[in-house]
Amino acid sequence: NDTLSLELGKPHEVWMHAANVAGSHVVVRCVAGRQVQPPKEVLEAAAGLCAFYSKAKSQHAVEVHVTTWGKVNKAPGAPVGQ
């Protein structure tokens, strides 16, 4: 999660994580050189991956945090993966 969230994305790419539970981070990659919002279907599928690969996957609905990769940072002293 740390490598994906802090090293591999581009500032304008979409970053997602299931809210308030442990789980995978997802970065929706963009076509090189294009800063276009991904289609709704792609964002919904990515959010579904966040929910499925989280501790909340058995819940009826899972809140997913969405931002751009460039706004993601790690809190000082946070453990690996958080």
Side-chain angles (χ1 to χ4, degrees):
N1 281 342
D2 282 357
T3 300
L4 178 65
S5 293
L6 303 171
E7 298 174 22
L8 297 179
K10 304 269 188 287
H12 59 277
E13 293 178 327
V14 177
W15 177 92
M16 298 181 174
H17 185 272
N20 306 312
V21 295
S24 296
H25 302 179
V26 171
V27 174
V28 179
R29 304 306 305 256
C30 294
V31 176
R34 296 187 63 199
Q35 296 183 22
V36 178
Q37 178 74 10
K40 180 180 176 185
E41 297 81 15
V42 171
L43 296 175
E44 289 174 350
L49 290 171
C50 286
F52 183 79
Y53 290 104
S54 76
K55 297 275 184 180
K57 73 178 182 179
S58 62
Q59 294 181 12
H60 174 69
V62 178
E63 180 182 355
V64 175
H65 289 164
V66 180
T67 190
T68 56
W69 181 88
K71 295 179 183 174
V72 176
N73 57 40
K74 187 176 182 97
V80 172
Q82 293 186 351

